Amino acid sequence: MHNDRAETDATHDVIVVGSGAGALTGALVAAADGLDTVVLERTPLLGGTSAYSGAACWLPGTQVQERADLGDSTDAACTYLRALVGDAGADRREAFLRHAPELVARLENEPAVAFEWQAFPDYVAAPGRMDAGRSFIPLALPQEELGDLVHLVRPAVDRDRAGQGHPDGPLAQGRALIGRLLLAATRTGNATVRTEHRVTGLVTENGRVTGVKAETPHGTVTVRARHGVLLAAGGFEGDEALRAEHGVPGAAAWSMAPPGATTGDLLRAAVRIGAATDLTDEAWWCPGTERPDGTAAFTLGLRGGIVVDAAGQRFANESLPYDRMGRALAAARTPAHLIFDSRAGGALPAITVPPADPAEHLAAGTWARADSLPELADLIGVPADALTDTVARFNGHAADGTDQDHHRGEDPYDRFFADTRNAPGPNPCLVPLDRPPYYAARVVLSDLGTKGGLRTDVHARVLDDAGDPIPGLYAAGNTSASFTGRVYPGPGVPIGTAMVFASLAVRDMALPLPASGIPGGGTDGARSTVTAPSGQD
Ligand SMILES: Cc1cc2nc3c(=O)[nH]c(=O)nc-3n(C[C@H](O)[C@H](O)[C@H](O)COP(=O)(O)OP(=O)(O)OC[C@H]3O[C@@H](n4cnc5c(N)ncnc54)[C@H](O)[C@@H]3O)c2cc1C
């Protein structure tokens, strides 16, 4: 593996654009199959949002669930997905379910890759759901095993945003997944990784995608692929103009993706050569608490507090899975606040990524604090009577143990994060707000990436408007439109589906090439088109 950064024009078997979990799975599978594979990553670091993630992988029916003796199966997962998504995208759903066990067996066959099941409930009550969850995570990875490669792996979100590297100790979660896939790909001897290669255009010859144009610190290079180009470069969550064009609510600044990394370059490039798109107003949503610097922190797993709108009313079950709470926020179209009391000493009763520093928030005004609810209401601009009434009604629900308004605490997911040992009432998800001073944290609509993008088929081939594959072009992860539509079925679906479709893509690429038009073998007589950023076509 090389990381020379300054690649001159070159030809490989497979080009993988991006370096998240899908990209590196595709690169590993291709390289392990003996294909000369290059990974082109725009930033100096590998892993994208995947490196920030918990690395839960929703890959049902595999040997990992079998080892954990969960009683899960591909059929149960199929029942669940059908119940949630219907039969739209059924062919891709089937391809996903069929390939997941094979992929995981193959990955775990690599000494560098190992997973273990972790309890985390599926997100929706529907037939086939696993209440304890069916997703798994990679084992932590000692930094020594990665050697110098560790410096290429993007650190956790809090450290990355602060410009810090990895702390001492093993890499965990998304860093472990990226590190393990990178290590395994390295060991094949067939993978090359180039950072600071921003792919902005696709090269086509006789209607086939045969390469890419990439901007590097040393100029623009053309990289060609004999077998195919896999676009696994994330979504367009970081691009305000594309968000506005496609009607994606929220804001680039509130997205959890690494700033400036995922701005839809490949969506634009593929559309320029005729690719079709789908679901482009969609994202993997989550509530965010606004941070003093204007970014947001992914906020989940509430152990207390309530969320109110500008009228001082609750509008959802605050313990909903984060994507569903995000959708509730989007539907409410309102400034929102998480109201909590001093039960936890002024700490937010929730998990936030990155963690919250109360003093910083209070100083910046992203949190407010007051000795009484009417005073707090004044500080955040909601009607004082309404807020007081809402809290009184909620405290009544807490005493009864039943949330008559939003049914909080009735679902296994709600209870998964509840502080059951210290719960003061009969329902651990309903914790009264009665310990002043009271706090309000600003809540915004954040996302873990857009989930609409290029239309693809069961082989992850990118389709044109007529539904025909564009030869040589593949997409996976958030660069493609998810077959899960407008539903986030469970923890690890973004990464699990990205991994499967990246693997299916390179498997398709590995098939014998057609006798004619083999790229990289000479372009005599070929019509060569280069797509470049707008204005340069
Ligand atoms: C805190 C947190 C926890 C999460 N936990 C989970 C979880 O446990 N399980 C799960 O499934 N999902 C989780 N998610 C969501 C998940 O991480 C993302 O949706 C998913 O990783 C996106 O994968 P991707 O491969 O599409 O993009 P990314 O992982 O973002 O990778 C895209 C890469 O492409 C690069 N790139 C972009 N443009 C170009 C270009 N023009 N040329 C070259 N390279 C380019 C980017 O720099 C980036 O490195 C979590 C997200 C967050 C923020």
Side-chain angles (χ1 to χ4, degrees):
M1 169 165 313
H2 319 282
N3 185 38
D4 306 338
R5 297 197 173 179
E7 165 138 316
T8 51
D9 295 357
T11 302
H12 299 267
D13 290 329
V14 172
I15 296 173
V16 176
V17 184
S19 64
L24 292 189
T25 298
L28 166 57
V29 172
D33 272 354
L35 296 172
D36 166 15
T37 303
V38 67
V39 173
L40 301 178
E41 162 57 44
R42 166 182 181 167
T43 71
L45 294 171
L46 304 177
T49 315
S50 304
Y52 287 172
S53 79
C57 303
W58 203 88
L59 291 165
T62 76
Q63 59 194 36
V64 184
Q65 290 89 356
E66 215 171 289
R67 285 201 298 270
D69 207 10
L70 296 184
D72 187 25
S73 67
T74 298
D75 284 351
C78 183
T79 302
Y80 182 61
L81 288 176
R82 281 186 80 167
L84 297 187
V85 191
D87 277 332
D91 52 348
R92 285 187 296 148
R93 177 191 73 212
E94 294 304 314
F96 166 72
L97 290 170
R98 256 197 326 274
H99 190 54
E102 181 190 334
L103 172 64
V104 171
R106 184 169 185 179
L107 291 177
E108 285 204 315
N109 209 26
E110 300 287 336
V113 182
F115 299 109
E116 66 182 354
W117 173 75
Q118 188 187 48
F120 198 162
D122 281 338
Y123 292 165
V124 189
R129 178 195 205 179
M130 294 288 287
D131 285 353
R134 46 169 54 103
S135 55
F136 53 79
I137 56 168
L139 300 190
L141 176 64
Q143 294 198 22
E144 311 79 78
E145 281 190 42
L146 265 176
D148 282 349
L149 290 175
V150 72
H151 304 297
L152 281 179
V153 177
R154 189 174 285 284
V157 60
D158 51 332
R159 298 188 67 91
D160 197 34
R161 284 187 184 176
Q164 298 166 336
H166 300 285
D168 291 340
L171 300 187
Q173 303 183 317
R175 282 74 66 207
L177 183 59
I178 295 302
R180 286 185 177 282
L181 294 171
L182 181 62
L183 196 55
T186 307
R187 288 179 178 164
T188 64
N190 293 325
T192 303
V193 173
R194 309 282 183 196
T195 57
E196 297 184 80
H197 277 56
R198 178 182 184 181
V199 175
T200 51
L202 299 170
V203 180
T204 60
E205 294 171 28
N206 297 326
R208 180 182 181 89
V209 173
T210 57
V212 301
K213 287 275 171 189
E215 292 168 8
T216 80
H218 309 280
T220 302
V221 294
T222 302
V223 185
R224 286 175 189 275
R226 296 181 196 93
H227 287 256
V229 175
L230 169 60
L231 308 179
F236 58 89
E237 55 275 356
D239 190 277
E240 212 58 83
L242 272 180
R243 290 182 79 112
E245 184 184 329
H246 294 284
V248 180
W254 295 336
S255 176
M256 290 302 299
T262 45
T263 54
D265 291 338
L266 286 315
L267 180 75
R268 288 190 175 95
V271 166
R272 279 199 300 273
I273 63 159
T277 61
D278 203 4
L279 281 175
T280 48
D281 57 344
E282 268 292 335
W284 310 98
W285 304 111
C286 64
T289 33
E290 193 178 349
R291 292 177 57 77
D293 62 2
T295 63
F298 175 15
T299 301
L300 72 163
L302 265 68
R303 295 180 300 279
I306 56 173
V307 177
V308 300
D309 60 16
Q313 311 280 352
R314 293 176 68 214
F315 55 92
N317 162 11
E318 297 85 348
S319 298
L320 279 173
Y322 46 87
D323 178 69
R324 294 172 61 193
M325 187 61 191
R327 286 173 195 278
L329 271 166
R333 293 171 160 269
T334 172
H337 287 90
L338 171 55
I339 310 291
F340 56 103
D341 69 2
S342 292
R343 199 170 280 275
L348 199 81
I351 301 165
T352 67
V353 189
D357 176 341
E360 250 182 63
H361 276 286
L362 288 166
T366 43
W367 291 14
R369 177 177 55 196
D371 288 332
S372 71
L373 288 168
E375 286 170 280
L376 188 72
D378 279 352
L379 289 176
I380 61 173
V382 308
D385 288 354
L387 183 65
T388 310
D389 289 351
T390 297
V391 171
R393 183 171 171 80
F394 180 79
N395 288 350
H397 296 333
D400 298 344
T402 307
D403 174 8
Q404 286 158 17
D405 299 329
H406 299 290
H407 307 285
R408 186 169 173 183
E410 293 176 15
D411 187 90
Y413 183 92
D414 298 6
R415 294 191 292 277
F416 184 70
F417 290 103
D419 185 359
T420 42
R421 274 178 307 175
N422 300 311
N427 180 337
C429 299
L430 304 178
V431 180
L433 284 83
D434 54 10
R435 304 227 181 134
Y438 297 99
Y439 293 81
R442 248 186 245 159
V443 176
V444 295
L445 177 59
S446 179
D447 62 70
L448 310 178
T450 48
K451 73 180 295 197
L454 303 176
R455 275 183 57 204
T456 51
D457 69 3
V458 294
H459 305 293
R461 297 180 297 187
V462 174
L463 303 176
D464 64 17
D465 282 326
D468 295 324
I470 298 176
L473 189 62
Y474 298 78
N478 293 346
T479 309
S480 60
S482 174
F483 77 85
T484 62
R486 300 187 185 277
V487 186
Y488 196 149
V493 171
I495 285 180
T497 52
M499 292 168 74
V500 163
F501 284 105
S503 171
L504 287 170
V506 298
R507 198 169 76 163
D508 195 69
M509 286 184 209
L511 295 173
L513 287 165
S516 61
I518 296 177
T523 55
D524 285 356
R527 188 170 53 87
S528 182
T529 313
V530 174
T531 64
S534 303
Q536 295 176 38
D537 275 350

